[in-house]
């Protein structure tokens, strides 16, 4: 019995695959249509018995509209059209009752009061307001007609007046109960959904907090591991570099050419490995917060740039390159001298290692917002490689043209140093001139 009732109210809509809110509205529209048909049939029979033509027309129209609404929901699964038909059926039923039962001063007005409530629950606020406006206009039209002498007759025989009023009251009450139950169930379902969403949200927050704690611990462990391993690797590398240099000084002249080249390779690769370990240790210290940015003091950037250029001129001469410096005025900035020197040194070394011409130009200027240092050199750089320049995990070190003593982490370390000073470091490419320019900006 319950299954049959659910099937009748669901109008063939599958409860397992239909949205619960939509299914509840379908059931409400169906229940209202069935109620209208059940209440309308006795009224239609009595209207036929008492020869009330207008009531026969209005009740028949309401029953047909309600049946059409059910048919549309059953066959075409068109909820929007069905709800409009059911709402119109209630409106027509109310209009017929008002015009044949004494006008707007009677209890039959309750049918019209149900119209905007039904439309609002089934179709939303906009539909409810639209039907409400139509009801208000209709009520006012009836009032205007009464004020101008028209009287709506009560065509119900006096001996049957009580039974007809009782039937109308029962119909209106049942319709109100259907709509109220829909409203309360909608509130209850919304509250349950809100409670479930809040519960899910709290669980997600807990999972996110736990994941953040796990990630923090993992990052701290990674940083400690890198710092410890860097220290552990630095000690034997220093020994390898030191003893290799001593061996080269003392016995280098007595070695044959092949052995001497092998010894030079050991020294060269050891130096490169030591540079990488030092940069790795510096990055680990930055990640741990040991950046020493509290050691800030006034710096003459032109003097700092001159020191870097003088240190790299022998490296440039080794590959027949020249470094052109353009820094006409002193520029004073507050910062960590060692960190900024390392950053500028890395940019110049990268330019020397990558240039496709015979020169690298470095300029220094002062802007209203701070200082701008630029390193310009001939070359090309694909757009998808520009972000990789400063990526510690996916860098372009393997694409360098020359070995100038630059580790694979040097550019990433330079980016970190400049960023932690509140500055910006980036790259721009002039494809027409085939030139690449590093831009290092430090705020005042």
């Amino acid at each position: 019995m319950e299954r049959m009732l659910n099937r009748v109210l669901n109008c063939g809509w599958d409860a397992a695959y239909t949205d619960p809110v939509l299914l509840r509205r379908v059931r409400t529209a169906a229940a209202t249509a069935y109620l209208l048909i059940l209440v309308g049939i006795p009224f239609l029979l009595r209207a036929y018995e008492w020869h009330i033509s207008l009531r026969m027309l209005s009740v028949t129209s309401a029953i047909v509209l309600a049946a059409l609404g059910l048919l549309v929901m059953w066959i075409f699964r068109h909820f929007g059209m069905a709800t409009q038909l059911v709402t119109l059926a209630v409106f027509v039923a109310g209009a017929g009752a008002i015009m044949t039962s004494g006008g707007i001063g009677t209890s039959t007005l309750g049918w019209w009061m149900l119209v905007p409530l039904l439309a609002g629950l089934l179709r939303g606020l906009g539909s409810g307001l639209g039907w409400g406006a139509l009801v208000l206009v209709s009520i006012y039209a009836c009032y205007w007609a009464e004020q101008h002498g028209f009287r709506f007759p009560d065509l119900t025989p006096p001996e049957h007046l009580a039974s007809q009023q009782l039937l109308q009251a029962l119909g209106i009450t049942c319709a109100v109960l259907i709509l109220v139950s829909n409203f309360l169930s909608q509130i209850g379902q919304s509250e349950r959904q809100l409670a479930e969403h809040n519960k899910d949200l709290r669980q997600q927050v807990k999972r996110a907090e736990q994941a953040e704690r796990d990630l923090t611990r993992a990052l701290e462990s990674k940083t400690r591991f890198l710092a410890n391993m860097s220290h552990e690797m630095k000690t034997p590398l220093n020994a390898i570099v030191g003893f290799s240099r001593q061996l080269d000084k003392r016995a280098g002249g007595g070695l044959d050419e092949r052995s001497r080249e092998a010894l030079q390779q050991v020294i060269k690769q050891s130096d490169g490995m030591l540079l990488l370990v030092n940069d790795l240790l510096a990055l680990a210290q930055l990640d741990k917060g040991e950046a020493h940015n509290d050691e800030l003091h006034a710096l003459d950037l032109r003097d700092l740039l001159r020191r870097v250029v003088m240190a790299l001129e022998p490296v440039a001469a080794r590959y027949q390159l020249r470094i052109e410096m353009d820094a006409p005025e002193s520029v004073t900035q507050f910062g960590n001298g060692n960190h900024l020197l390392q950053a500028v040194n890395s940019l110049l070394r990268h330019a020397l290692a990558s240039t496709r011409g015979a020169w690298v130009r470095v300029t220094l200027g002062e802007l209203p917002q701070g200082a701008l240092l630029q390193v310009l050199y001939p070359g090309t750089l694909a757009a998808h490689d520009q972000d990789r320049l400063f990526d510690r995990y996916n860098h372009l070190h393997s694409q360098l043209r020359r070995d100038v003593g630059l580790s694979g982490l040097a550019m990433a370390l330079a980016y970190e140093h400049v960023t932690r000073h509140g500055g910006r470091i980036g790259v721009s490419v002039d494809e027409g001139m085939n030139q690449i320019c590093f831009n290092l900006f430090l705020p005042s």
Side-chain angles (χ1 to χ4, degrees), residues 5 24 53 57 100 254 312 314 325 373 377 405 413 426:
L5 179 61
R24 185 179 63 247
S53 301
L57 178 62
T100 60
L312 292 181
M325 176 177 167
L373 183 146
Y377 63 93
L413 185 59

Side-chain angles (χ1 to χ4, degrees), residues 311-353:
L312 292 181
E313 281 180 343
V315 179
R318 187 192 314 158
Y319 296 101
Q320 291 78 48
L321 303 174
R322 68 180 185 277
I323 302 176
E324 301 174 357
M325 176 177 167
D326 182 12
E329 298 180 357
S330 295
V331 178
T332 303
Q333 288 284 115
F334 279 89
N336 186 308
N338 291 330
H339 291 172
L340 293 180
L341 188 144
Q342 290 176 14
V344 175
N345 179 75
S346 297
L347 293 181
L348 273 173
R349 285 183 182 271
H350 191 279
L352 291 173

Side-chain angles (χ1 to χ4, degrees), residues 193-206:
Q193 290 179 344
L194 181 60
E196 292 176 358
H197 289 164
N198 288 337
K199 183 179 178 180
D200 293 341
L201 182 60
R202 286 194 296 269
Q203 292 177 350
Q204 291 176 7
V205 170
K206 289 181 180 179

